[in-house]
Structures are given as structure tokens and as C-alpha cells.
Amino acid sequence: HVQLVESGGGLVQPGGSLRLSCVTSDYSDAVTCLGWFRQAPGKEREAVAAIYLYGPTVYYADSVRGRFTISRNSSKDTVHLQMNNLKPEDTAMYYCAGARGFRDPPRQRDFKYWGQGTQVTVS
């Protein structure tokens, strides 16, 4: 059973930074892509960034490109999302999710494993 645990959310002022982390318990290689999604109140969940665990391929939404950076550790069991120059419109619940295979743009239905989410508030 694959588990994903997010951490690092919080309250930050506009222009500030936060670093989200996602630790996965996948020991079966069922997950080859980890992504970050977000959902703001009253809005649909959207893909923010994704990374292929076995290569350099990454994805960024246009709204965050140049401000957010996704990275993974060498063990491929932890993914980070460095968020700089945060804006009020970045306020949302952020979810880490795992899929087998990488697609650009990510399709939510491909992500079978989801964390509980971590709240990011920019105000």
C-alpha cells in the first residue's frame, strides 16, 4: 500500500517562500511520477508540477513556472516543491500524488495515490 505524506505548508506573506515535501512509502516501484496538485476554495483541483522519478522530465503549470521548482532526492522517495515569490492566488490546499508513468500535462485520473494535503495560505 503506497502512502504519501506531505509537510511544509503554512502562512506566508506575498513575495515569501515555502518548501513543501512529500515522502512516499512506495517500495514496489508502483509510482514512477510524483506530482503536486492544488485546490483553492470554489475551484477545481489543478496540476502544479510533476517529476519523473527515473529521469529529468518535469512539468510546471504556466501559473507557477519560474517561481516554483520541483525536485527529488537520490532515493526517489522524497519530492520537494520550492515555492518562491508566492502570491495570494497561490493560496490552496496542496496535494502530493503518485502515478505510474509521466504525462505532460499530468492527468489527474492517472494519479492513483494521494496524500492528505497541506494548506498554503499567502496573505
Side-chain angles (χ1 to χ4, degrees):
H1 177 66
V2 178
Q3 290 184 313
L4 303 173
V5 179
E6 306 101 332
S7 62
L11 173 65
V12 65
Q13 293 182 343
S17 298
L18 282 174
R19 188 186 194 215
L20 305 183
S21 296
C22 172
V23 180
T24 173
S25 65
D26 178 25
Y27 300 106
S28 65
D29 294 335
V31 171
T32 60
C33 171
L34 286 174
W36 288 96
F37 295 77
R38 68 184 181 187
Q39 187 167 23
K43 295 187 177 181
E44 294 186 354
R45 188 165 57 188
E46 61 176 351
V48 175
I51 187 166
Y52 181 58
L53 298 179
Y54 296 92
T57 311
V58 297
Y59 163 85
Y60 293 103
D62 289 342
S63 58
V64 307
R65 187 175 293 112
R67 299 188 298 123
F68 291 11
T69 303
I70 190 169
S71 62
R72 65 177 185 277
N73 67 349
S74 57
S75 301
K76 304 181 184 65
D77 60 4
T78 303
V79 170
H80 303 288
L81 185 67
Q82 178 67 42
M83 306 186 295
N84 297 329
N85 191 21
L86 283 161
K87 304 176 181 180
E89 51 263 43
D90 295 317
T91 295
M93 184 70 78
Y94 283 69
Y95 298 91
C96 179
R100 184 159 184 82
F102 180 93
R103 184 183 294 268
D104 183 352
R107 293 189 313 189
Q108 291 195 39
R109 64 176 184 267
D110 292 337
F111 289 78
K112 300 184 183 302
Y113 309 101
W114 291 83
Q116 293 299 308
T118 184
Q119 178 68 38
V120 171
T121 303
V122 185
S123 177

